[in-house]
């Protein structure tokens, strides 16, 4: 399990790195904020990031902001100062913990482990909560297991129409009238081609839930 450690004091990096190694982790050490951001982008599977605030190139706050833009990885900030301003700034920029120097490397490892454990539990809970299909009609976005689907406007409207009528068999004429409008030159093959693409984008969910009722139309099963 990778841990990214960024501090311009090499002695601190080496000391913290040794403690994480002894606990079975794979520490990666860097010595400035820009290097921290670049290295994280190459190691987005890191379980935790530790950032010193006062670093060259980019300070820890800026590095924290940039990492937080692309990841929810747990972040611990290190600082030689204990002022409330530093702590608040760290949290406002997306940090999860704040540790004041000098500190015990052994205690830092334990705090890191607790943070990783909590973060993974949160991810597991979120994944369970987001299982299945969710339609956001206001934003015109559909989510499957918490991930947004890349749908065209018509594909989204068809999926939304199906979910609003879950369990009901909808005819091709119903789709044409509801999605394309009464003035549309009705070609039922248009519905079939859109449904086929939609089923592919839904993957296993589409194969299992989006059913063809031959001679009538389509439905999403409850």
């Amino acid at each position: 399990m990778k841990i990214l450690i960024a501090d311009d004091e090499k002695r601190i990096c080496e000391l913290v790195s040794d403690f994480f190694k002894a606990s079975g982790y794979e520490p990666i050490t860097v010595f400035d904020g820009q290097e921290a951001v670049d290295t994280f982008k190459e190691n987005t599977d890191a379980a935790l990031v530790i950032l010193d605030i006062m670093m060259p190139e980019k300070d820890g706050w800026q590095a924290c902001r940039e990492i937080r833009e692309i990841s929810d990885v747990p972040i611990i900030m290190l600082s030689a100062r204990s002022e409330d301003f530093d702590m608040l700034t760290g949290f406002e920029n997306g940090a999860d913990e704040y540790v004041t120097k000098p500190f015990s490397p052994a205690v830092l490892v334990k705090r890191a482990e607790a943070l990783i454990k909590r973060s993974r539990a949160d991810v597991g809970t979120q994944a369970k909560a987001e299982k299945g299909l969710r339609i956001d009609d206001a934003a015109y976005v559909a989510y499957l297991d918490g991930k947004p689907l890349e749908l065209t406007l018509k594909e989204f409207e068809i999926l939304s129409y199906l979910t609003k009528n879950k369990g009901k068999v909808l005819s091709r004429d119903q789709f044409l009238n509801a999605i394309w409008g009464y003035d549309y030159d009705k070609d039922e093959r248009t519905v079939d081609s859109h449904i086929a693409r939609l089923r592919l984008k839904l993957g296993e969910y589409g194969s299992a839930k989006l059913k063809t009722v031959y001679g009538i139309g389509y439905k999403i099963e409850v």
Side-chain angles (χ1 to χ4, degrees):
M1 195 180 294
K2 297 176 185 176
I3 306 290
L4 176 60
I5 304 162
D7 196 309
D8 61 339
E9 294 185 59
K10 293 187 178 182
R11 179 183 58 82
I12 291 179
C13 271
E14 290 170 359
L15 180 63
V16 172
S17 176
D18 287 344
F19 271 82
F20 274 104
K21 278 182 186 175
S23 296
Y25 294 93
E26 181 187 343
I28 303 169
T29 56
V30 297
F31 308 110
D32 67 63
Q34 183 60 59
E35 193 178 5
V37 174
D38 293 341
T39 302
F40 180 78
K41 288 178 179 178
E42 296 169 358
N43 297 272
T44 53
D45 58 337
L48 182 105
V49 175
I50 299 173
L51 299 171
D52 182 41
I53 289 179
M54 303 305 294
M55 290 189 292
E57 303 300 330
K58 271 186 179 132
D59 62 30
W61 292 326
Q62 178 64 28
C64 181
R65 282 197 301 273
E66 293 188 23
I67 290 173
R68 185 55 75 229
E69 286 174 359
I70 59 173
S71 175
D72 291 325
V73 64
I75 298 175
I76 295 177
M77 304 294 294
L78 302 178
S79 178
R81 304 189 305 182
S82 60
E83 283 86 350
D84 287 348
F85 172 78
D86 285 350
M87 293 185 188
L88 290 171
T89 303
F91 292 134
E92 287 171 358
N93 285 304
D96 298 282
E97 288 275 6
Y98 186 97
V99 175
T100 304
K101 298 177 182 179
F103 56 84
S104 163
V107 172
L108 178 62
V109 170
K110 291 301 180 185
R111 293 179 73 169
E113 288 178 336
L115 195 55
I116 292 169
K117 184 177 180 181
R118 188 165 71 239
S119 172
R120 297 200 162 190
D122 289 344
V123 169
T125 300
Q126 183 180 15
K128 288 178 184 176
E130 293 184 341
K131 271 295 184 189
L133 183 68
R134 180 170 68 86
I135 306 293
D136 186 342
D137 285 298
Y140 280 81
V141 180
Y143 298 88
L144 184 60
D145 296 339
K147 296 180 180 179
L149 294 165
E150 294 185 8
L151 304 177
T152 66
L153 177 60
K154 285 292 185 282
E155 288 166 354
F156 173 83
E157 289 177 339
I158 289 170
L159 186 57
S160 177
Y161 186 50
L162 281 163
T163 56
K164 286 173 182 174
N165 294 277
K166 191 174 286 187
K168 297 179 182 178
V169 180
L170 302 171
S171 70
R172 292 171 177 82
D173 273 345
Q174 285 178 294
F175 282 107
L176 288 169
N177 290 333
I179 309 301
W180 282 269
Y182 290 98
D183 296 331
Y184 182 75
D185 182 16
K186 296 180 180 181
D187 183 350
E188 293 184 348
R189 290 173 298 180
T190 298
V191 176
D192 295 338
S193 61
H194 278 77
I195 290 284
R197 287 196 297 271
L198 181 58
R199 186 180 278 123
L200 282 174
K201 291 184 179 182
L202 289 168
E204 291 181 4
Y205 182 93
S207 299
K209 297 290 187 181
L210 181 48
K211 298 296 185 181
T212 301
V213 181
Y214 292 99
I216 303 175
Y218 302 93
K219 69 173 181 175
I220 277 191
E221 291 187 338
V222 177

